[in-house]
Amino acid sequence: MALLPTNQDLISAGIKEFNILLNQQVFSEPAIPEEAMVTVVNDWMDLYLNYYKKKMVGEQEEQDKALQELRQELNTLSASFLDKYRNFLKSL
């Protein structure tokens, strides 16, 4: 019998998958405006958060805490990605 993944396993998987998504992005011309890229990244985050929210286990408080941790980690990855994108825009 397979064990259900823990919330920490889910958080780790979400971080890994989101990081892969961000690393696959290729910056090229014509570039989209920074505001549009922020919107795209926020939409990706929402997609991941909604997907993993349905998979969280435990009491509601535990699920909420795990989802908040995932949100913080994705925000950190997003901020780094957006910094790279800003630098790309400045180099044009």
Side-chain angles (χ1 to χ4, degrees):
M1 176 188 288
L3 296 175
L4 291 175
T6 66
N7 288 342
Q8 198 59 49
D9 294 337
L10 293 169
I11 291 167
S12 294
I15 292 167
K16 180 180 177 186
E17 291 170 8
F18 193 72
N19 199 36
I20 289 170
L21 171 69
L22 294 178
N23 287 332
Q24 289 176 338
Q25 304 314 304
V26 176
F27 304 147
S28 61
E29 293 186 47
I32 64 172
E34 179 182 345
E35 298 80 20
M37 184 59 81
V38 169
T39 300
V40 169
V41 172
N42 285 337
D43 288 348
W44 288 338
M45 276 187 45
D46 288 343
L47 179 72
Y48 275 76
L49 291 169
N50 286 330
Y51 175 79
Y52 281 100
K53 179 179 184 176
K54 296 173 186 171
K55 296 186 169 291
M56 296 295 175
V57 296
E59 299 294 325
Q60 189 62 48
E61 186 177 318
E62 292 172 288
Q63 292 178 31
D64 292 344
K65 182 179 175 185
L67 196 61
Q68 182 60 31
E69 184 179 339
L70 179 59
R71 180 184 310 278
Q72 289 171 340
E73 294 292 338
L74 297 185
N75 274 328
T76 300
L77 292 172
S78 295
S80 177
F81 173 81
L82 291 171
D83 285 343
K84 289 178 192 174
Y85 191 72
R86 280 185 206 96
N87 289 333
F88 165 74
L89 291 176
K90 289 177 186 175
S91 72
L92 297 180

